[in-house]
Amino acid sequence: TLQHLFKQIFQLSLGLQEDDNRKALLVSRKKKPEDTIVDLKGIKIGNGEQHLITGPCSVESYEQVREVAEAMKAQGLKLLRGGAFKPRTSPYDFQGLGKEGLEILKRVAEELDMVVISEVMNPNDVEMACEYIDVIQIGARNMQNFDLLKEVGGTDKPVLLKRGLSATIDEFVKAAEYILAKGNGNVMLCERGIRTYERATRNTLDISAVPILKQETHLPVLVDVTHSTGRRDLLLPTAKAAFAIGADAIMAEVHPDPAVALSDSAQQMDISQFNDFVQSLRDAGLYKL
Amino acid sequence: TLQHLFKQIFQLSLGLQEDDNRKALLVSRKKKPEDTIVDLKGIKIGNGEQHLITGPCSVESYEQVREVAEAMKAQGLKLLRGGAFKPRTSPYDFQGLGKEGLEILKRVAEELDMVVISEVMNPNDVEMACEYIDVIQIGARNMQNFDLLKEVGGTDKPVLLKRGLSATIDEFVKAAEYILAKGNGNVMLCERGIRTYERATRNTLDISAVPILKQETHLPVLVDVTHSTGRRDLLLPTAKAAFAIGADAIMAEVHPDPAVALSDSAQQMDISQFNDFVQSLRDAGLYKL
Amino acid sequence: TLQHLFKQIFQLSLGLQEDDNRKALLVSRKKKPEDTIVDLKGIKIGNGEQHLITGPCSVESYEQVREVAEAMKAQGLKLLRGGAFKPRTSPYDFQGLGKEGLEILKRVAEELDMVVISEVMNPNDVEMACEYIDVIQIGARNMQNFDLLKEVGGTDKPVLLKRGLSATIDEFVKAAEYILAKGNGNVMLCERGIRTYERATRNTLDISAVPILKQETHLPVLVDVTHSTGRRDLLLPTAKAAFAIGADAIMAEVHPDPAVALSDSAQQMDISQFNDFVQSLRDAGLYKL
Amino acid sequence: TLQHLFKQIFQLSLGLQEDDNRKALLVSRKKKPEDTIVDLKGIKIGNGEQHLITGPCSVESYEQVREVAEAMKAQGLKLLRGGAFKPRTSPYDFQGLGKEGLEILKRVAEELDMVVISEVMNPNDVEMACEYIDVIQIGARNMQNFDLLKEVGGTDKPVLLKRGLSATIDEFVKAAEYILAKGNGNVMLCERGIRTYERATRNTLDISAVPILKQETHLPVLVDVTHSTGRRDLLLPTAKAAFAIGADAIMAEVHPDPAVALSDSAQQMDISQFNDFVQSLRDAGLYKL
């Protein structure tokens, strides 16, 4: 019927508009065809080299961070992540050392010439945190904390944005757009597993998200193998898959003594496992740095 | 083997500890067997009566809010919700009128003696917003914005906490615990649909969550039929189900002219549909106020 | 661009074609506006009255079925379901009594004048089973066992088709279409919970599916409260919701001694709980037969 | 309390029993530590070499299958899959050529010395199909079609079992157990994507399932990159990831002219794309045969 045709034409024009919006996104390859390379104190993410980002889930003490950092250093790794502000399901779980944790990270980084990545959860903390850290991490639970995104968009710090627990790729891309729209183009996207019905892993690593994000955006794409699997025995195989599919960097958690870690003890590697992990990736020809 | 038995006993003791933790939660019925009744300027939520909470998705103008509020008033409804701070997937979507929206809500509420419910997204805005609104809403995307939960936990305003898009019931309950742990016991839980594979509805209304939350906690439990379905034609049937299963209140969106609404136009009722909605619930014997 | 417009027009015409397909479905209201009423030996399903279908998960013995059936009879219920062929995750779980189970069901049904509903899993068993049972149930795991659907489509027995564990509503409707396309129009659709990330219930009852299926098809719509929740304590509240939203019948499992049941012991009611269940639905004005 | 402790001990013993069951599974590494190597007419799957299994989604004609097979042959591939019995959502979609399709596959296989893999859906068709094909495929929709599993378990043909659309890994493993329990140990497991909320891909490739299945069972593990992504542009990157993580073989669909394919036109490669696909895997050092 005629009425129906008009309705279809209306929907068609909506489609065209949607298409234009996508074209207009700052994160889109249509807007900027060439890869964005994010510079982390001299280490380039997004230039084709593939990196490892490691460190403890939570910063617990200077000694703990230092021990992990030394092990990283011995392997030639400089990208150190550690949590000072910890989003925890229960208010009675360890909430992180806060500013004190950032101070520890900065001290170790200065001693060993490393790059510090740490999560910020509150817009109020962004300015303070920037004095201590080199890369601001936005965690999965805050992917759509839009005031936080706007706040970090107003800084010139590189941002590591994690995909939300059940965010679509489209929502993920638009969350990054919030940051670019405020003027900060140094954004890295991190796939960290999505929530599905499957219980064998903590989350389901959506490995296909890597090539999709690389195609649709010009931003570097990372994979967090620790949180996507929640299982120490899966870190190595999923890291291989992530490098093979083209991830610009892989994140994994390391703790001197995982059994007594204040968070995520079941999924962190100890130093010896970490060394095996790096070596195995090198032996497989997948990690070349 | 013996080693295996010890491992089992260890896991057993972990189970006991978990059980104790649950017992200790302030939101738990084990801690407080009797129902919490939240007082919204004289309207009691949680005392067995069942209420309707309605209003426009976004506050757009004084005239728009006033028109909806008058229609509510004519039906004897006083619980007015409207969004001033809007969490939107894209930074280029309408972000709400902000403080100006709160002023409009307060003005209409004073003129017509209504109770105002509105979402706050940023911990920094809580104190300011409390001057304008009667109930602080925490939206689904902010269910695990822990700094925001702590901030509202420090006020004495009633809080309407929405379940996250893919939050488990356990995570939802623990998010509420963040608020109670800071001293604010006036919390209402709102089921608003969860993210699943099904595409016939915007989200999947998890109706079973209502009796589970009523059993496990002493807090009032609400159902948002608008966001859980995303379809105007499902508001009435799902509202019937929600009242029948024991929801303390139902939330639904009303707009004078949904077709031109600045957000969620496909799922809001117009004034005439709203009147039919309320009348149908009354006719079915499910809405008695 | 012009090329783009042509592409859009092509997609538009695809949309129109899809729309026509939907119109053409035999299950669709567009094809047959009036409700289909399925006659189960004199009991009409789909005529506005709301029924209860109960019985044990698995047929275990004549005495077991007889005891449940007598309790049903005392409550005025005649629709008896029991499983003889049991789809079980593990090959080492009880697989049902098979044909012997059907004989028991038929014997009890004849003694007490009841209607028997039982699942068939193998196309080869359909003809044999039809000699014993009044309604063929197709279980969730077999919703897309297309040869089985075609086989029951070739009989004149009423069919109770359960929604697959992760079937979309569209797939569910098209599975029913397989049966109607073979000439059997006596199909009843049964929502039984879908698989989601939530673990507080065995599945997530998709209550919104009921009004959607009632709108899009002319077939009766049932709700299985046992399998959708997997929790005895949720049977009554979800049954209330299902009746309030317009389900034509509710299915629930009853066993004389659930603790020793050969399957699903955690979710079946015993006789006393069953009597309370029926009485509570009557008291709430929701079950009127 | 004492009562509680007894309950815990009871649950503990249930856990031990569950553990014993797992140990007892024929598919388990605990039962058989060494890898099962399935012999497909001389081609060994599971011995550490990594293979490609390709062919058209549906068998449409002798010419079509022959053209694909010749392209495979030119690349040195011998494992030819093609669908003769097609499980389709709608009864009005192309249902496959049935027995005629099997005849075409056999004819081409004999002409070009290839191995034929094809799906069987009905227990009644198994015996007949075995005269034409070398490997029986059980599709995702039939993973829990237990009578079909038992039937193929009674043959001596290799079986390629696909994971169900929303099957857990535990359910998948137990479905394979149905086949081994009937005496057929030549089973290959195939991850083919699971149903999640994400819509950018047809399904979500659960890449972590590969190492989990390799650890827990002794069976070969395959990855179907076509059905897990539903996107031609993702076949190569996901194939790289699958080989890197240790899949024993990868399945992908090839059609001489995908645009006119009778099923799955959007996700099949044409001959030229197929050649590029194989070459790219070889260039990356991931496909060595």
Side-chain angles (χ1 to χ4, degrees):
Chain A
T1 69
L2 199 64
Q3 196 181 359
H4 186 76
L5 270 168
F6 274 114
K7 200 174 146 197
Q8 291 286 337
I9 287 165
F10 178 66
Q11 290 178 342
L12 165 69
S13 57
L14 279 181
L16 287 170
Q17 191 181 329
E18 164 76 14
D19 196 65
D20 286 341
N21 283 341
R22 186 160 306 178
K23 221 177 289 177
L25 285 186
L26 298 171
V27 295
S28 167
R29 285 238 180 240
K30 291 181 184 161
K31 195 80 172 188
K32 175 173 178 284
E34 65 277 13
D35 288 332
T36 287
I37 298 171
V38 179
D39 187 328
L40 309 184
K41 292 174 76 179
I43 296 178
K44 306 279 196 301
I45 307 291
N47 67 348
E49 288 180 346
Q50 296 181 305
H51 294 266
L52 288 172
I53 300 172
T54 50
C57 179
S58 296
V59 171
E60 295 169 12
S61 68
Y62 166 76
E63 290 71 21
Q64 173 230 27
V65 176
R66 172 91 197 191
E67 188 173 348
V68 172
E70 284 176 354
M72 289 172 57
K73 196 80 180 172
Q75 289 284 0
L77 308 187
K78 296 181 70 170
L79 301 172
L80 173 67
R81 70 163 300 288
F85 296 100
K86 302 296 303 173
R88 301 302 299 274
T89 300
S90 164
Y92 310 123
D93 288 337
F94 176 59
Q95 307 273 312
L97 294 183
K99 190 177 170 182
E100 186 193 337
L102 300 182
E103 289 165 353
I104 291 171
L105 287 166
K106 187 176 187 181
R107 183 178 156 199
V108 172
E110 288 177 346
E111 291 171 355
L112 297 175
D113 184 30
M114 304 189 83
V115 181
V116 167
I117 301 163
S118 198
E119 177 170 358
V120 179
M121 294 160 56
N122 191 325
N124 291 338
D125 292 332
V126 171
E127 193 177 338
M128 177 275 290
C130 285
E131 294 173 29
Y132 296 93
I133 63 180
D134 305 301
V135 180
I136 303 169
Q137 179 177 314
I138 306 290
R141 288 175 183 78
N142 284 304
M143 190 201 83
Q144 291 193 319
N145 184 337
F146 298 117
D147 283 315
L148 181 60
L149 298 178
K150 290 173 184 172
E151 190 72 27
V152 301
T155 74
D156 57 1
K157 284 275 178 190
V159 178
L160 191 165
L161 178 65
K162 289 200 163 184
R163 182 178 183 183
L165 266 79
S166 65
T168 63
I169 288 175
D170 185 60
E171 290 167 345
F172 188 20
V173 162
K174 284 182 177 142
E177 184 74 9
Y178 266 90
I179 303 171
L180 273 78
K182 284 288 177 185
N184 186 347
N186 291 312
V187 176
M188 300 172 285
L189 303 173
C190 182
E191 159 65 26
R192 44 78 71 206
I194 60 174
R195 187 163 272 186
T196 72
Y197 70 84
E198 176 57 63
R199 306 177 185 199
T201 42
R202 180 162 153 181
N203 294 289
T204 297
L205 171 58
D206 182 9
I207 196 79
S208 307
V210 178
I212 295 174
L213 290 168
K214 297 288 288 182
Q215 279 177 39
E216 299 205 353
T217 82
H218 48 78
L219 302 174
V221 178
L222 284 54
V223 171
D224 176 343
V225 293
T226 301
H227 289 94
S228 50
T229 64
R231 286 172 55 160
R232 201 179 292 123
D233 61 340
L234 298 181
L235 300 181
L236 179 62
T238 51
K240 288 180 179 175
F243 273 148
I245 209 169
D248 294 294
I250 284 170
M251 300 181 77
E253 291 182 356
V254 182
H255 190 285
D257 188 357
V260 300
L262 294 178
S263 58
D264 284 353
S265 67
Q267 64 193 38
Q268 302 191 61
M269 295 179 276
D270 65 22
I271 304 293
S272 159
Q273 291 161 337
F274 162 72
N275 285 326
D276 290 347
F277 173 78
V278 179
Q279 193 57 46
S280 297
L281 288 173
R282 287 201 167 103
D283 291 347
L286 289 165
Y287 179 58
K288 294 166 188 162
L289 300 175
Chain B
T1 70
L2 199 65
Q3 195 182 1
H4 186 75
L5 269 169
F6 275 113
K7 199 174 147 200
Q8 291 287 335
I9 286 165
F10 177 66
Q11 289 179 341
L12 165 68
S13 58
L14 278 182
L16 287 169
Q17 190 182 329
E18 165 74 15
D19 196 65
D20 285 342
N21 283 343
R22 187 160 306 179
K23 221 177 289 178
L25 286 187
L26 297 171
V27 296
S28 168
R29 286 237 179 243
K30 290 180 185 161
K31 195 79 171 189
K32 175 172 177 284
E34 67 277 13
D35 288 333
T36 286
I37 298 171
V38 178
D39 188 328
L40 309 183
K41 292 175 75 179
I43 297 177
K44 306 280 197 299
I45 308 293
N47 67 348
E49 289 181 347
Q50 296 180 306
H51 293 267
L52 288 172
I53 299 172
T54 51
C57 179
S58 297
V59 171
E60 295 168 13
S61 68
Y62 166 76
E63 290 71 21
Q64 173 229 26
V65 176
R66 171 91 196 190
E67 189 173 346
V68 172
E70 284 176 354
M72 289 173 56
K73 196 81 180 172
Q75 288 283 2
L77 307 188
K78 296 180 69 170
L79 302 172
L80 173 67
R81 71 162 300 287
F85 296 101
K86 301 297 303 174
R88 300 304 297 276
T89 299
S90 165
Y92 310 122
D93 288 337
F94 176 60
Q95 307 272 315
L97 294 182
K99 190 176 171 183
E100 186 192 337
L102 299 182
E103 288 166 352
I104 291 171
L105 286 166
K106 186 177 188 183
R107 181 177 158 201
V108 173
E110 286 178 346
E111 290 170 355
L112 298 175
D113 184 29
M114 304 189 83
V115 180
V116 167
I117 300 162
S118 199
E119 177 169 357
V120 178
M121 293 161 57
N122 191 324
N124 291 338
D125 292 331
V126 170
E127 191 177 341
M128 177 275 290
C130 285
E131 294 173 29
Y132 296 93
I133 64 180
D134 304 300
V135 180
I136 302 168
Q137 178 177 313
I138 306 291
R141 287 175 184 77
N142 285 303
M143 191 201 83
Q144 291 193 320
N145 184 335
F146 299 118
D147 283 314
L148 181 61
L149 297 178
K150 290 173 184 172
E151 189 73 26
V152 301
T155 73
D156 57 0
K157 284 277 178 187
V159 178
L160 191 164
L161 177 66
K162 288 200 165 185
R163 182 179 182 181
L165 265 80
S166 65
T168 63
I169 288 175
D170 186 59
E171 290 167 343
F172 188 18
V173 162
K174 283 180 178 144
E177 184 74 8
Y178 267 91
I179 304 172
L180 272 78
K182 284 288 178 184
N184 186 348
N186 290 311
V187 176
M188 299 172 287
L189 303 172
C190 182
E191 159 65 26
R192 46 76 72 206
I194 60 173
R195 186 162 274 186
T196 72
Y197 69 85
E198 175 59 62
R199 306 177 185 199
T201 44
R202 180 162 154 181
N203 294 289
T204 297
L205 171 58
D206 182 9
I207 196 79
S208 307
V210 178
I212 294 173
L213 291 168
K214 297 288 287 184
Q215 279 176 40
E216 298 206 353
T217 81
H218 47 78
L219 302 174
V221 179
L222 283 55
V223 171
D224 176 342
V225 292
T226 300
H227 288 93
S228 50
T229 65
R231 286 172 55 159
R232 202 179 290 123
D233 62 340
L234 297 180
L235 300 181
L236 179 61
T238 51
K240 287 180 180 176
F243 273 149
I245 209 169
D248 292 296
I250 284 170
M251 300 182 79
E253 291 182 355
V254 183
H255 190 286
D257 188 356
V260 300
L262 294 178
S263 57
D264 282 353
S265 68
Q267 64 194 40
Q268 302 191 62
M269 297 179 275
D270 66 23
I271 304 292
S272 160
Q273 291 161 337
F274 163 71
N275 285 324
D276 289 346
F277 173 77
V278 178
Q279 193 57 47
S280 297
L281 288 173
R282 287 201 167 104
D283 291 347
L286 288 164
Y287 180 58
K288 294 166 186 163
L289 301 176
Chain C
T1 69
L2 200 64
Q3 195 182 1
H4 187 75
L5 269 168
F6 274 114
K7 199 173 148 199
Q8 291 286 335
I9 286 164
F10 177 66
Q11 289 179 341
L12 165 68
S13 57
L14 279 181
L16 286 170
Q17 190 182 330
E18 165 74 14
D19 196 67
D20 285 342
N21 284 342
R22 186 160 308 178
K23 221 177 289 177
L25 286 187
L26 298 171
V27 296
S28 167
R29 286 238 179 241
K30 290 180 185 160
K31 194 80 171 188
K32 175 172 177 284
E34 67 276 14
D35 289 332
T36 287
I37 298 172
V38 178
D39 188 326
L40 309 183
K41 293 175 73 178
I43 296 178
K44 307 280 196 301
I45 307 292
N47 68 348
E49 288 181 346
Q50 295 180 307
H51 294 266
L52 288 171
I53 300 172
T54 50
C57 179
S58 297
V59 171
E60 295 168 13
S61 69
Y62 167 75
E63 290 72 22
Q64 173 229 27
V65 176
R66 171 91 197 192
E67 188 173 347
V68 172
E70 283 177 354
M72 290 173 56
K73 196 82 180 173
Q75 288 284 0
L77 307 188
K78 296 181 70 171
L79 301 172
L80 173 67
R81 71 162 299 287
F85 296 100
K86 302 296 303 174
R88 301 303 297 275
T89 300
S90 165
Y92 310 122
D93 288 336
F94 176 60
Q95 306 272 316
L97 294 182
K99 190 176 170 184
E100 185 193 339
L102 299 182
E103 289 166 351
I104 291 171
L105 286 166
K106 186 177 189 182
R107 180 175 159 201
V108 172
E110 287 177 346
E111 290 171 355
L112 297 175
D113 185 28
M114 304 189 84
V115 180
V116 167
I117 301 164
S118 199
E119 178 169 356
V120 179
M121 292 160 57
N122 191 325
N124 292 337
D125 292 331
V126 170
E127 192 177 340
M128 177 274 290
C130 284
E131 294 172 30
Y132 296 93
I133 64 179
D134 305 301
V135 181
I136 302 167
Q137 179 177 313
I138 306 291
R141 287 174 184 78
N142 286 303
M143 191 201 84
Q144 290 193 320
N145 184 336
F146 298 118
D147 283 315
L148 181 61
L149 298 178
K150 290 173 183 172
E151 188 72 29
V152 301
T155 73
D156 57 359
K157 284 276 178 188
V159 178
L160 191 165
L161 178 66
K162 288 200 165 185
R163 181 179 183 181
L165 265 80
S166 65
T168 63
I169 288 175
D170 185 58
E171 290 167 344
F172 188 19
V173 162
K174 283 180 177 143
E177 184 73 8
Y178 267 90
I179 304 172
L180 273 77
K182 284 287 177 186
N184 186 347
N186 290 312
V187 176
M188 299 173 286
L189 303 172
C190 182
E191 158 66 26
R192 46 76 74 206
I194 60 174
R195 186 162 273 186
T196 72
Y197 69 85
E198 175 59 61
R199 306 177 184 198
T201 43
R202 180 162 153 180
N203 294 291
T204 297
L205 171 58
D206 182 8
I207 196 80
S208 307
V210 178
I212 294 173
L213 291 168
K214 297 288 288 182
Q215 278 176 41
E216 298 205 354
T217 81
H218 47 79
L219 302 174
V221 179
L222 284 54
V223 171
D224 176 342
V225 292
T226 300
H227 288 93
S228 50
T229 65
R231 286 172 55 159
R232 202 178 291 122
D233 62 340
L234 298 181
L235 300 181
L236 179 61
T238 51
K240 287 180 179 175
F243 273 150
I245 209 168
D248 293 295
I250 284 170
M251 299 182 79
E253 291 183 356
V254 182
H255 190 286
D257 188 357
V260 299
L262 294 179
S263 58
D264 283 353
S265 67
Q267 64 194 39
Q268 301 192 63
M269 297 179 275
D270 66 22
I271 304 292
S272 160
Q273 291 162 338
F274 163 71
N275 285 326
D276 289 348
F277 173 78
V278 179
Q279 192 57 46
S280 297
L281 288 173
R282 287 199 168 105
D283 291 347
L286 288 165
Y287 179 58
K288 293 166 186 161
L289 300 176
Chain D
T1 70
L2 200 64
Q3 195 181 1
H4 186 75
L5 270 168
F6 275 114
K7 201 174 145 196
Q8 291 286 337
I9 287 166
F10 177 68
Q11 289 179 342
L12 165 68
S13 57
L14 280 180
L16 286 170
Q17 192 182 328
E18 164 75 15
D19 195 66
D20 285 342
N21 285 340
R22 186 160 306 178
K23 221 176 290 177
L25 286 186
L26 298 171
V27 296
S28 168
R29 285 239 180 240
K30 291 181 184 161
K31 195 80 173 187
K32 174 171 178 285
E34 67 276 14
D35 288 332
T36 286
I37 297 171
V38 179
D39 188 327
L40 309 183
K41 291 175 73 179
I43 296 178
K44 306 280 196 300
I45 308 292
N47 68 347
E49 289 180 346
Q50 296 181 305
H51 294 266
L52 288 172
I53 299 172
T54 50
C57 179
S58 297
V59 171
E60 295 169 12
S61 69
Y62 166 76
E63 290 71 21
Q64 172 229 27
V65 175
R66 172 92 196 190
E67 188 173 349
V68 172
E70 284 176 354
M72 289 173 56
K73 196 79 180 172
Q75 289 284 359
L77 308 188
K78 296 180 70 169
L79 302 173
L80 173 67
R81 71 163 299 287
F85 296 101
K86 301 297 302 173
R88 301 302 299 274
T89 301
S90 163
Y92 310 124
D93 288 337
F94 176 59
Q95 307 273 316
L97 294 182
K99 191 176 170 183
E100 186 193 337
L102 298 183
E103 288 165 352
I104 292 171
L105 287 166
K106 187 176 187 181
R107 182 177 157 200
V108 172
E110 287 177 346
E111 291 170 354
L112 298 175
D113 184 30
M114 304 190 83
V115 180
V116 168
I117 302 164
S118 199
E119 177 169 359
V120 178
M121 294 160 57
N122 191 325
N124 291 338
D125 292 331
V126 171
E127 193 177 337
M128 177 274 290
C130 284
E131 294 172 29
Y132 295 93
I133 64 180
D134 304 301
V135 180
I136 303 168
Q137 179 177 313
I138 306 291
R141 288 175 183 78
N142 284 304
M143 190 201 83
Q144 291 194 318
N145 184 336
F146 298 117
D147 283 315
L148 181 61
L149 298 178
K150 290 173 183 172
E151 190 72 27
V152 301
T155 74
D156 58 0
K157 284 275 177 189
V159 179
L160 191 165
L161 177 65
K162 288 201 164 185
R163 182 179 182 182
L165 266 80
S166 66
T168 63
I169 289 175
D170 185 60
E171 290 166 346
F172 188 18
V173 162
K174 284 182 177 142
E177 184 74 9
Y178 266 91
I179 303 171
L180 273 78
K182 284 287 177 187
N184 187 346
N186 291 313
V187 176
M188 299 172 285
L189 303 172
C190 182
E191 159 65 25
R192 45 77 71 206
I194 60 174
R195 187 161 272 186
T196 72
Y197 69 85
E198 176 58 61
R199 305 177 185 197
T201 42
R202 180 163 153 181
N203 294 290
T204 297
L205 171 57
D206 182 9
I207 196 80
S208 307
V210 177
I212 295 174
L213 290 168
K214 297 287 287 182
Q215 279 177 39
E216 298 206 354
T217 81
H218 48 78
L219 302 174
V221 179
L222 284 54
V223 171
D224 176 343
V225 293
T226 301
H227 289 94
S228 50
T229 64
R231 285 172 57 159
R232 202 178 292 123
D233 62 339
L234 298 181
L235 299 181
L236 179 61
T238 52
K240 288 180 179 175
F243 273 148
I245 209 168
D248 293 294
I250 284 170
M251 301 181 77
E253 291 183 355
V254 182
H255 190 286
D257 188 356
V260 299
L262 294 178
S263 57
D264 283 353
S265 68
Q267 64 194 38
Q268 302 191 61
M269 296 179 276
D270 65 22
I271 303 292
S272 159
Q273 292 162 337
F274 163 72
N275 286 326
D276 290 346
F277 173 78
V278 179
Q279 193 57 47
S280 297
L281 288 173
R282 286 201 167 103
D283 291 346
L286 289 164
Y287 179 57
K288 295 165 188 163
L289 300 175

